[in-house]
Amino acid sequence: MSTDPNPHGASLSIQDVAVEFDGHMALRDVTFEVDAGTLMGVVGPNGAGKSTLFNAIAGLLPVRRGKVTLHRVDQKSGELAYVPQQESVNWRFPVTATDVVMMGRCCRQGWFRRPGKKDRELVNACLGRVGLWDHRAALMTELSGGQRQRVFVARALAQEASVLLLDEAFSGVDVGAQEDLVEVLQTLRDEGRIVLLATHDLTNLAGRFDQVLCLNRHVCACGPPDQVFTSEVMEKLYGAHGVRLTMDGAGSKTT
């Protein structure tokens, strides 16, 4: 993992965060920190607050109490990009892969500035990084689930983001496409970015994370996979089923 100074050296601090919906506490007392160059999995059952946490970090939901802080190393660091669940995207909108990635660039540079040569070159480079150069002119509706998710990662790169939030990015994506995405995310991690990935897939992905946040409306555990995936923690998350996941080796490290 890269520890050298780099323009993506932001760190993320969540302190005592609570989020409430209609009198219902969706998150309470959530505290954790993530250093630059970390790939963190965010795991927990349905309704645990994973999407709520990402929306709060991204500033899309108000925080009732507590604080979300991006610590900048320099003025180039600290940008945040959010890759949403596929179900929340209107795929009927007729845009190409290039269009979607350019949206990330416009978000970074300003919506009313006409994209220039450097913008187009960066967008093409971002699509190349995620292996989609040959599909740059394809409509999003023509792409597979894994390809769509890689387009959104490319959009995040075009934003020059130091922190990437991916909400169930592997949902409905086949194992081969998952491996391609993991390799991309690990490369971004090695460049000093922070990558937070919410997932239900502990069997295939648990051992690929540097850190894991176990969430069930509050933090049940946070740390390296081999330390947090204990029977006690998994039972807090998933009940008796969680104990079986632990016995099946959810926290085993893969390379």
Side-chain angles (χ1 to χ4, degrees), residues 106-167:
C106 292
C107 178
R108 167 75 172 176
Q109 298 294 335
W111 289 103
F112 300 104
R113 187 183 68 83
R114 186 180 180 86
K117 179 180 178 182
K118 289 185 178 180
D119 297 310
R120 292 189 291 272
E121 289 176 345
L122 178 61
V123 166
N124 288 336
C126 291
L127 284 165
R129 287 204 61 184
V130 300
L132 288 177
W133 166 252
D134 291 339
H135 294 82
R136 62 192 181 279
L139 293 173
M140 292 295 285
T141 53
E142 299 171 344
L143 299 177
S144 68
Q147 289 171 330
R148 290 173 180 174
Q149 292 299 71
R150 279 187 280 163
V151 169
F152 281 117
V153 171
R155 184 185 67 175
L157 294 178
Q159 290 178 237
E160 299 180 296
S162 297
V163 180
L164 281 72
L165 309 175
L166 294 95
D167 193 358

